[in-house]
Amino acid sequence: MLEGPLLGKVFLFALPLMATNLLQMLYNAADMIVAGMSGVEGAIGSIGTTGAMINLILNIFSGFAIGTNVVVARNIGRGDEEATRRAVHTSLIMALIFGTVCMGIGLFIARPLLKLLGDQGHILDLATLYTRIYFAGTPFMAVSNYMIAILRAKGDTRTPLYVLTATGLLNVGLNLFFVLVMKMSVDGVAYATVLSNVMNVIVLAVVMLRDTGWCRLEWKRLKLDRVAMRDILRDGLPAGVQGALFSLSNMLIQSTIIGINNTMDPGGSAIIDGNAAATNLEGFVYVATNSVYQAAVTFTSQHHGARKYQRIGTVMRCCYFVTGLIAVASAALLLIFRHPLLGLYIQNGNQMALDAAYTRFYINIAPYFTLAFMEVGSGILRGLGKSTLSTVISLLGSCVFRLVWIYFVFPLYPQLWMVYLSYPISWSLTAIAHFTVSMVVRRRYMRMYPESSPEAPEWESV
């Protein structure tokens, strides 16, 4: 990562990661589609209403996984083998602890929180059942995420792709078995997810045990190192807090959408189902662009560790170009094929559900490149060691803005489209702020370490 042209390397790093993320989204989509095959009314919508609440808890340990990525990549960039090994093994212990805590919290708050969001009747019962089974597997999910973060930090994005492809196929097979053969509904989909995450941990552990490099898993080294834990917490805590607060704002939006559904379709779930279907498909664009966010974090962290700040400018240009290209292309494909894709989820042809889905598509998908730019800017700042600053910008530009929008702007025009409009506006504001601040931080480092500035002309590094 530290030498030679960068554009091709960013693509080579991001493409397997993108394929991995898209496969994960495909399996999540399969969860909802297969749940819909159960014939249980509201199965798709009930899973959709759990997303923001589940992410509220999961984003905490996912944020610390970002900290692991940053710290391991930075130590590799510095050439510090011992610090890398300590960070790897400390992060795995932290993952197990965080995952267990998240499981306990999730099992305890699932039903009251879903009820607070507005879930009622059979939707509440289905959502609670799905959530409680899902949270039983969070320790395995946490350890799996941290192992993947470690592999990505050293530049290996192919191994997670292969592993998640295999276990994802297992997930789909288990979905079909539990729902179509065992006649389950959302509970069968949740059991399939848990078992797939268990298999993820087993396979990734075998891979890391056979690693011959600095990131090799050694049982005797599995202990908490104070310095490594401090560094991971310092870089990961802001990301975790940001993710949790983003989920809080999304929970408010989800609650608003449930309220609109209860007004327009009393006793039904048409708006909820349509929103869930569109959100799930929108997720494919998000994870595709998020792969470049991961690249931005890893490339910038290694260059920051090596104090190659001139090349970080090239890293920025490459990441913005790649993520913009991916966002525009994937959004265009989603809009072109929106009718058959939504038909996979909304199989009864409910027009109210389809109208809700189309509304979200038209407002959110076309400007999705602004979210892609926001994510890359955040990744650059985290790679530069400014994780807290990145979090503050994201919270002000997105979370606080959306809260103000829902409480003060939405009541003026209480329509579904007004809820969705808060997304692209907040993405644009935050993307501009991230870019501006990352340029300032990079130039400050270049002044602090002038010996790091001389490089080959930047256009030769693209």
Side-chain angles (χ1 to χ4, degrees), residues 11 77 93 116 156 158 192 196 261 275 285 352-353 366 426:
F11 264 114
I93 297 296
L116 182 64
D156 181 5
R158 293 186 180 183
S196 298
N261 177 87
N275 179 74
V285 187
M352 186 178 291
S426 64

Side-chain angles (χ1 to χ4, degrees), residues 29 37 55 72 95 125 127 186 192 201 208 210 264 273 311 314 343 462:
M37 293 178 182
N55 289 334
V72 173
D125 293 336
V186 296
V201 171
M208 292 185 66
R210 295 180 176 179
M264 297 182 64
D273 289 349
R311 274 173 62 89
T314 310
V462 174

Side-chain angles (χ1 to χ4, degrees), residues 129-380:
L129 176 62
Y130 175 82
T131 304
R132 285 177 173 166
I133 298 172
Y134 189 97
F135 274 115
T138 50
F140 301 101
M141 190 180 303
V143 174
S144 172
N145 282 352
Y146 278 62
M147 287 177 167
I148 290 172
I150 290 166
L151 293 173
R152 289 171 178 170
K154 70 171 189 171
D156 181 5
T157 56
R158 293 186 180 183
T159 299
L161 170 61
Y162 301 148
V163 173
L164 292 175
T165 298
T167 56
L169 291 172
L170 172 65
N171 186 18
V172 174
L174 290 173
N175 279 340
L176 295 170
F177 172 75
F178 286 133
V179 173
L180 300 183
V181 178
M182 302 301 293
K183 304 303 180 183
M184 295 181 177
S185 178
V186 296
D187 51 344
V189 169
Y191 283 128
T193 299
V194 172
L195 292 174
S196 298
N197 280 311
V198 172
M199 187 57 64
N200 271 341
V201 171
I202 294 172
V203 177
L204 288 169
V206 170
V207 169
M208 292 185 66
L209 284 168
R210 295 180 176 179
D211 195 319
T212 58
W214 296 0
C215 296
R216 175 186 173 86
L217 173 59
E218 301 175 65
W219 299 118
K220 63 182 179 181
R221 282 182 171 266
L222 281 173
K223 58 184 179 181
L224 291 174
D225 178 82
R226 185 176 61 183
V227 175
M229 184 168 64
R230 180 202 65 196
D231 291 344
I232 292 171
L233 288 172
R234 182 188 61 205
D235 288 297
L237 181 59
V241 170
Q242 175 182 320
L245 291 178
F246 261 102
S247 295
L248 279 174
S249 69
N250 287 333
M251 285 170 65
L252 175 63
I253 291 176
Q254 180 69 53
S255 179
T256 305
I257 292 171
I258 292 173
I260 294 173
N261 177 87
N262 294 341
T263 300
M264 297 182 64
D265 188 24
S269 60
I271 304 297
I272 296 174
D273 289 349
N275 179 74
T279 300
N280 195 260
L281 288 170
E282 184 182 308
F284 283 94
V285 187
Y286 173 76
V287 298
T289 58
N290 185 258
S291 63
V292 189
Y293 162 77
Q294 298 284 347
V297 171
T298 303
F299 275 75
T300 306
S301 296
Q302 288 209 16
H303 282 80
H304 179 41
R307 293 185 178 177
K308 293 195 171 188
Y309 298 109
Q310 183 76 14
R311 274 173 62 89
I312 289 178
T314 310
V315 170
M316 291 175 66
R317 281 191 295 278
C318 290
C319 289
Y320 276 113
F321 171 75
V322 173
T323 199
L325 185 64
I326 291 171
V328 171
S330 54
L333 288 172
L334 203 56
L335 287 170
I336 291 170
F337 296 105
R338 62 190 180 278
H339 300 296
L341 289 173
L342 286 171
L344 295 173
Y345 297 82
I346 307 170
Q347 298 172 4
N348 58 4
N350 188 313
Q351 192 58 48
M352 186 178 291
L354 289 171
D355 289 343
Y358 292 147
T359 300
R360 182 169 185 124
F361 261 32
Y362 297 143
I363 294 176
N364 281 19
I365 296 298
Y368 220 80
F369 67 92
T370 57
L371 173 62
F373 289 167
M374 182 186 85
E375 291 277 294
V376 164
S378 175
I380 295 290

Side-chain angles (χ1 to χ4, degrees), residues 61-116:
F61 69 69
S62 297
F64 289 121
I66 295 295
T68 294
N69 190 321
V70 171
V71 172
V72 173
R74 188 183 301 148
N75 288 331
I76 291 174
R78 290 172 179 163
D80 193 333
E81 178 179 353
E82 184 57 31
T84 302
R85 294 184 184 277
R86 288 199 303 267
V88 165
H89 292 87
T90 296
S91 68
L92 294 178
I93 297 296
M94 292 173 66
L96 185 59
I97 294 171
F98 292 148
T100 303
V101 171
C102 288
M103 177 182 67
I105 295 172
L107 292 174
F108 180 74
I109 71 169
R111 188 175 185 89
L113 190 53
L114 287 167
K115 191 173 182 179
L116 182 64

